[in-house]
Every structure is written in C-alpha cells, then in structure tokens.
C-alpha cells in the first residue's frame, strides 16, 4: 500500500477517535489508544476501505455488519477492562471488536455462527499478530461453558432478552453488555453479576442485526 494512503488512514483514524468517540464522552485512555492504533480499514473489503472510519456501520457480507465505531467504543468501555480478564464476545463478525478487546484484556474468546466470517476474521487477526484471541463457530447464545467464568461478555447482535447461559457464565463482579429489544430497535443493557444476583443498567438506544440462536431469535 502506498505510504500516502497509509498516512491518510491514520489521519482518518485519529479524526474518528477525536470527533466521533472522545467528543461523545468516551474517556478510557487505553481504549482510545486501541482505537487509534487498530487499522479498522483492513477489517472491511477493499471497495469500502475509504469509508471504514466514518460514523456508521458497514456491510461485511452474509447480510452482517461491522458496527459503528462509537458503538464499539461504548460497549467496550462498559466492560471496564483492566488487563487481566477473560472476555467472551458473541458475534465475531469482521473481527474488529475482538482486536480491540485483545488490546485491553488478557484473553478473548469469540463466537461467530457464520463460518465464512469466522474464517476471514481469523485470517486478518493472524496477519495482525493477535495471539490472544480464540474464535469458534457455533451458537453463541449458549456461551462457551468450557472457558467460563468470564469477567466480561459482549454480545454484538440484538436479542429479545438476556440469554440466561451468558448470565450463568459470568464471574461474580463480571459485566455483560447486550442489546435487547425487538428487531427494529434495541436498548443497550449492562448486566452486572453480584453475590446476591444481578443488577441491570440501561446504556441507551441502539440498532443491531439479530442474534440468532437457541436463546436469541429463531430462524436464519
Ligand atoms: N463484533 C463484530 C465486528 O467487530 O465486526 C460485529 C458483529 S455483527 C454486528 C453481529 C454478528 O453476530 C454477525 O456476524 C452475526 O453473524 C453474529 N451472530 C448472530 N447471532 C449469533 C449467534 N447466535 N452466535 C454467534 N454469532 C452470532
């Protein structure tokens, strides 16, 4: 890739962080650094790379999307990662959010239901030298029991209700962030597991593709 093009991408990235993310109240410095360093344009097809730092989601094939940069930041900040966590991500998609999580936590387990997307994400994450991410193809609404408990779980597709297996696989003190609602609009919910049960917080409105699976929406 020509040097000037590379510089353009890093300028666009800095503008994305300043104008779409920091200006909307995201303050976590490690997260802002990760967003500044990860080449988001490499997670989308070449024809869309010039739009990779714009303020909206983009198609990644199979009728799925890479989420809007601000939404990735908001969800990640809500996980309150300090560096030593095992994180579960449901919905690998392009692999972009997995890369962000891998910069902020110790180990990332990510589940994608569509094999072609999982394969593409594995390839780019390997080329970018991420060795602390494991991706599996399955129904993420069931979680990943063998690797539980998780200190943080993020669900990057919209569910009708909080999938119970994910709550069960949260460590005490762990945070789960998940969009809940109907297929047209959802509310981002944070669930915190405590000794006594769970606490639920509303983080605002959002719009995601459907979480399809046993504890999500039925169908294709
Ligand atoms: N985190 C992704 C990224 O950084 O590109 C964005 C993910 S996209 C908005 C949602 C993804 O969730 C899609 O790739 C979709 O196939 C996946 N998905 C939907 N239901 C799922 C399920 N039950 N288990 C695993 N993945 C699922």
């Amino acid at each position: 890739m020509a040097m000037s093009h590379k510089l353009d991408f890093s300028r666009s990235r800095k503008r994305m962080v300043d104008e779409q993310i920091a200006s909307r109240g995201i303050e976590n410095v490690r997260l802002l650094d990760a967003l500044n360093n990860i080449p988001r344009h490499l997670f989308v097809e070449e024809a869309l790379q010039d739009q990779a730092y714009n303020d909206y989601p983009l198609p990644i094939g199979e009728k799925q999307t890479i989420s809007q940069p601000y939404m990735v930041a908001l969800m990640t900040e809500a996980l309150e990662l300090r560096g030593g966590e095992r994180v579960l991500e449901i919905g690998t998609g392009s692999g972009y959010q997995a890369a962000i999580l891998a910069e902020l936590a110790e180990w990332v387990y990510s589940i994608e239901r569509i094999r072609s997307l999982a394969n593409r994400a594995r390839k780019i994450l390997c080329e970018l030298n991420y060795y602390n991410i494991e991706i599996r193809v399955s129904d993420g609404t069931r979680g990943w029991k063998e690797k539980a408990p998780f200190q943080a779980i993020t669900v990057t597709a919209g569910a009708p209700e909080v999938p119970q297996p994910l709550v069960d696989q949260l460590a005490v003190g762990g945070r789960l962030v998940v969009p809940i609602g109907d297929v047209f609009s959802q509310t981002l919910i944070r669930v915190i597991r405590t000794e006594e049960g769970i606490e639920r917080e509303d983080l605002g409105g959002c719009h995601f593709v459907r979480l399809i699976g046993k504890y999500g929406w039925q169908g294709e």
Side-chain angles (χ1 to χ4, degrees):
M1 187 180 298
M3 185 56 91
S4 66
H5 214 154
K6 259 192 171 167
L7 276 177
D8 285 348
F9 282 129
S10 79
R11 272 195 214 112
S12 306
R13 198 149 58 235
K14 183 162 183 337
R15 205 175 314 125
M16 170 191 87
V17 172
D18 292 347
E19 295 175 9
Q20 300 168 35
I21 295 173
S23 67
R24 287 179 177 143
I26 302 291
E27 290 177 339
N28 183 311
V29 175
R30 295 171 64 234
L31 170 58
L32 295 175
D33 283 349
L35 290 158
N36 247 319
N37 291 331
I38 294 171
R40 179 173 160 95
H41 61 281
L42 298 182
F43 292 84
V44 299
E45 65 178 89
E46 215 167 334
L48 294 175
Q49 288 192 345
D50 285 343
Q51 297 180 60
Y53 298 99
N54 293 353
D55 195 15
Y56 46 76
L58 285 173
I60 54 170
E62 307 282 359
K63 301 193 197 133
Q64 305 303 324
T65 53
I66 177 173
S67 306
Q68 177 201 22
Y70 172 66
M71 194 46 66
V72 174
L74 181 67
M75 294 178 86
T76 306
E77 188 168 67
L79 296 177
E80 296 182 352
L81 301 174
R82 298 233 159 86
E85 300 84 357
R86 296 152 72 83
V87 182
L88 177 66
E89 178 192 36
I90 311 302
T92 315
S94 67
Y96 175 66
Q97 186 158 8
I100 306 259
L101 297 170
E103 295 281 344
L104 302 177
E106 186 166 318
W107 199 267
V108 179
Y109 298 94
S110 185
I111 307 179
E112 172 55 56
R113 62 181 282 275
I114 301 176
R115 185 170 300 276
S116 61
L117 295 181
N119 286 343
R120 201 180 331 134
R122 278 194 192 107
K123 183 167 180 289
I124 178 66
L125 290 167
C126 178
E127 283 166 11
L128 292 173
N129 299 322
Y130 283 100
Y131 301 117
N132 58 340
I133 303 174
E134 192 175 336
I135 296 175
R136 143 175 163 175
V137 178
S138 68
D139 172 9
T141 67
R142 297 167 185 268
W144 195 330
K145 221 173 177 177
E146 303 77 19
K147 307 292 183 185
F150 301 98
Q151 285 76 40
I153 301 180
T154 181
V155 183
T156 67
E161 55 198 56
V162 180
Q164 189 57 39
L166 302 184
V167 177
D168 296 341
Q169 291 175 30
L170 257 190
V172 171
R175 286 82 55 201
L176 159 64
V177 176
V178 53
I180 300 294
D182 58 32
V183 292
F184 303 108
S185 75
Q186 303 96 35
T187 302
L188 196 60
I189 300 288
R190 176 162 65 175
V191 172
I192 299 181
R193 184 158 182 185
T194 65
E195 295 281 4
E196 293 76 34
I198 62 162
E199 287 167 6
R200 243 176 109 121
E201 258 176 89
D202 176 340
L203 303 181
C206 56
H207 177 73
F208 277 84
V209 295
R210 285 183 311 154
L211 181 76
I212 297 173
K214 177 146 196 265
Y215 300 91
W217 296 101
Q218 310 306 308
E220 269 313 292

